[in-house]
Amino acid sequence: MLIDDEPVFLDIINRVTREHFPGVSFISCKNGNEAVAYLTQKENVRPRLILLDLFLSPMEPSGLTLLIEIKKQLADFQLPIVVISSYSEESLVQKAYDLGASSFIEKPTNLRGWKTMVKNMLDYWKDNNIPEVKPANEQTPSVVPKTPPYK
């Protein structure tokens, strides 16, 4: 799942994925309310990963507020949440980790960077045999490292 209020970003990541990584898709949400609504509907497919923009529009809850909400709503699921942002100020990165982020990625600035980011995430999932997301009580507990090698 990709949560970002910038239509250009949503378009780029979906285009990169479609063109270079067939079979992989993102559920795109343009705001926090849309993401929470999707995630709380039991009949919807659970994403294996959430990419969450740290700075959503001022009319929306911040990415950090949304991180707290997603963790609360989906407490029964071991769902990695990767915070993405153009800003990588140390205090913001630490705050994201303190609130439960699995990792933090600085947003790439060009198409090649996006392709590399998606490839690295897919390689990480493949190399570490990350299972599909199920309720915690339905699978063997697994640990998702806080700092996987995404960059």
Side-chain angles (χ1 to χ4, degrees):
M1 173 175 273
L2 176 60
I3 307 167
D4 198 303
D5 59 344
E6 295 178 37
V8 171
F9 172 69
L10 293 171
D11 181 57
I12 288 172
I13 198 77
N14 281 306
R15 187 169 40 132
V16 164
T17 305
R18 193 172 46 253
E19 290 175 9
H20 299 284
F21 306 101
V24 174
S25 63
F26 282 93
I27 301 159
S28 297
C29 297
K30 59 184 178 271
N31 61 54
N33 294 332
E34 190 177 305
V36 170
Y38 180 91
L39 290 167
T40 56
Q41 294 297 315
K42 293 193 183 305
E43 65 273 5
N44 287 337
V45 173
R46 291 277 181 238
R48 294 179 68 188
L49 166 76
I50 294 178
L51 292 176
L52 172 60
D53 183 25
L54 187 61
F55 293 102
L56 299 173
S57 84
M59 299 301 290
E60 292 293 320
S62 74
L64 294 176
T65 302
L66 187 54
L67 175 61
I68 294 166
E69 181 65 21
I70 291 171
K71 288 292 205 178
K72 184 174 78 174
Q73 292 286 337
L74 300 175
D76 290 342
F77 291 85
Q78 297 175 345
L79 183 61
I81 301 175
V82 176
V83 173
I84 54 175
S85 180
S86 300
Y87 306 98
S88 59
E89 183 181 312
E90 188 176 335
S91 64
L92 289 174
V93 174
Q94 187 58 52
K95 182 76 169 171
Y97 282 129
D98 291 346
L99 294 173
S102 302
S103 190
F104 186 101
I105 299 175
E106 191 169 345
K107 279 185 178 180
T109 57
N110 58 45
L111 200 54
R112 183 175 178 206
W114 287 114
K115 182 180 172 188
T116 300
M117 182 190 82
V118 172
K119 180 186 179 312
N120 288 347
M121 284 191 299
L122 293 173
D123 287 348
Y124 176 79
W125 253 244
K126 179 182 160 199
D127 293 346
N128 290 284
N129 297 314
I130 304 296
E132 289 191 36
V133 176
K134 297 179 182 177
N137 60 1
E138 291 182 19
Q139 67 184 24
T140 305
S142 63
V143 176
V144 177
K146 283 207 173 278
T147 55
Y150 291 135
K151 287 191 176 183

